[in-house]
Amino acid sequence: MTILRGTQDNFFSLIKEGITLAYFSNPHTEECQATRVNLESIEKNSKKEIKFVEINVNEEKKVVDKFPVDVFPTIILFKNGKILKSKIGGQPKSQLTQFISPFN
């Protein structure tokens, strides 16, 4: 599995079932790029079926406007379409791993 690209056409169907980690990113910033590298590493080593979805905040404003997201990167963990928890700002791999550990 890889990090999926979330768009206004697919995002809500992607988060509808199971566990989804949504990564709201401005890919032009170093902080977002570094967080993405950490998420890619975690995703490759994930033991369970957690979907990783990246939403480009510059291109998918209709998705971004539906959530309390105004700092990037922001990570929101969903279960069956409902928000479980979120994290704001760039995160080292260890904190991201801990963030999803109850579901991995």
Side-chain angles (χ1 to χ4, degrees), residues 31-104:
E31 191 173 27
C32 288
Q33 291 171 6
T35 299
R36 188 181 205 293
V37 168
N38 291 333
L39 287 173
E40 286 174 339
S41 175
I42 292 167
E43 189 272 337
K44 285 178 186 170
N45 296 309
S46 181
K47 298 175 189 126
K48 294 202 177 165
E49 290 296 317
I50 298 175
K51 289 177 284 216
F52 288 70
V53 180
E54 181 176 10
I55 300 89
N56 182 323
V57 299
N58 300 316
E59 297 174 359
E60 302 298 336
K61 299 211 183 286
K62 288 184 179 180
V63 175
V64 175
D65 289 345
K66 302 280 186 192
F67 300 98
V69 177
D70 56 2
V71 174
F72 310 107
T74 293
I75 297 166
I76 301 177
L77 198 60
F78 293 89
K79 181 175 183 179
N80 299 329
K82 305 276 191 252
I83 296 174
L84 294 176
K85 58 184 179 175
S86 62
K87 226 171 201 348
I88 297 171
Q91 305 293 318
K93 184 177 175 184
S94 60
Q95 286 185 358
L96 291 169
T97 301
Q98 183 179 3
F99 181 73
I100 67 165
S101 66
F103 309 98
N104 196 21

Side-chain angles (χ1 to χ4, degrees), residues 14-31:
L14 287 172
I15 67 168
K16 188 175 183 179
E17 293 182 10
I19 304 293
T20 306
L21 184 143
Y23 167 54
F24 292 83
S25 167
N26 178 347
H28 301 296
T29 68
E30 286 183 32
E31 191 173 27

